[in-house]
Amino acid sequence: MLTPKGYTTIQAIENYLLTDISDCFQPQVLEWIAQMEKYIENYTGRVFIEPTTATAKYYDGNGECEMVIDEFTTISSVSVNGTLIDAANYVLYPLNDERKNKIKLLYTLFYPVDPGDIIITAKWAYSKTVPYDLQWATTVLVSGIIQYSNDTSGEVQSESLGNYSVSYKDEKHWQDLEKAKEILDFYKLYNF
């Protein structure tokens, strides 16, 4: 069983659906939350909650002092060709955003000696906490799964999202699904 990261909560889903979820059904809802989080991360190409531990990623040098890397919130260490770079010797960009994706060395270059010789240990994520609009979108998506698994008589429409089907019984919820999909598209990472 997957464990939810915190993109939404059972309480938020209950508030959205204006109903109580019975205790015996809550483990299933938690599983759906975790699965929707994974769907959102796969769809957008981003992680929206900072992990608890930093991990290393390996990059090839580009011969310049600046390098665009994967999105991160915190860097623990930077190593260039086996030499640990002191934090006072690099700057992280953009300066005024918690989400960063570029590093600039002040006194050396990212020399391309061997493939993977740049080792950056960081907390790789878009943000430290989930943006509020994405929390809402996750709540809407999981609510649709719950409604699909309930008696769906009188539903407005059903749709598939990856391996999951969602249903909504009124036009307002269906409009919310369309808005949730727009939010996911807004956060989608495009690599050019």
Side-chain angles (χ1 to χ4, degrees):
M1 182 170 156
L2 297 171
T3 303
K5 295 178 179 180
Y7 285 38
T8 191
T9 64
I10 288 176
Q11 180 68 49
I13 294 165
E14 288 175 329
N15 292 345
Y16 179 78
L17 292 174
L18 299 176
T19 190
D20 290 328
I21 297 172
S22 68
D23 291 345
C24 65
F25 194 59
Q26 288 187 12
Q28 179 59 62
V29 174
L30 291 172
E31 178 75 14
W32 285 333
I33 291 171
Q35 291 170 353
M36 270 301 104
E37 290 169 346
K38 189 164 185 59
Y39 170 79
I40 289 168
E41 289 176 359
N42 288 337
Y43 182 83
T44 62
R46 292 183 153 132
V47 175
F48 293 96
I49 291 182
E50 179 182 76
T52 55
T53 58
T55 56
K57 287 192 178 187
Y58 299 81
Y59 295 91
D60 295 340
N62 61 7
E64 299 176 11
C65 65
E66 292 184 359
M67 179 180 287
V68 175
I69 59 176
D70 296 309
E71 294 174 326
F72 63 92
T73 54
T74 307
I75 281 193
S76 302
S77 68
V78 176
S79 174
V80 178
N81 304 323
T83 302
L84 193 61
I85 306 296
D86 186 84
N89 294 329
Y90 59 82
V91 180
L92 308 174
Y93 292 96
L95 293 173
N96 299 321
D97 195 347
E98 79 171 347
R99 176 186 58 95
K100 304 192 181 298
N101 69 345
K102 185 163 67 169
I103 183 169
K104 179 179 181 180
L105 299 177
L106 300 177
Y107 305 109
T108 189
L109 300 176
F110 289 108
Y111 289 112
V113 176
D114 291 316
D117 253 3
I118 311 301
I119 304 169
I120 300 176
T121 303
K123 292 185 176 182
W124 305 100
Y126 176 86
S127 55
K128 292 184 180 191
T129 59
V130 180
Y132 291 117
D133 57 346
L134 202 58
Q135 289 177 18
W136 179 84
T138 308
T139 300
V140 169
L141 296 175
V142 176
S143 296
I145 293 172
I146 291 169
Q147 288 190 349
Y148 183 81
S149 63
N150 281 337
D151 174 22
T152 56
S153 60
E155 70 187 41
V156 171
Q157 222 166 351
S158 292
E159 183 171 322
S160 292
L161 292 173
N163 295 330
Y164 303 95
S165 294
V166 296
S167 292
Y168 294 98
K169 296 184 181 189
D170 62 46
E171 191 62 34
K172 183 218 178 291
H173 286 156
W174 189 255
Q175 290 170 354
D176 286 351
L177 172 63
E178 293 304 313
K179 181 65 178 167
K181 292 186 323 188
E182 288 174 17
I183 290 168
L184 295 185
D185 286 340
F186 172 79
Y187 284 105
K188 194 167 188 172
L189 180 64
Y190 294 97
N191 294 320
F192 298 100

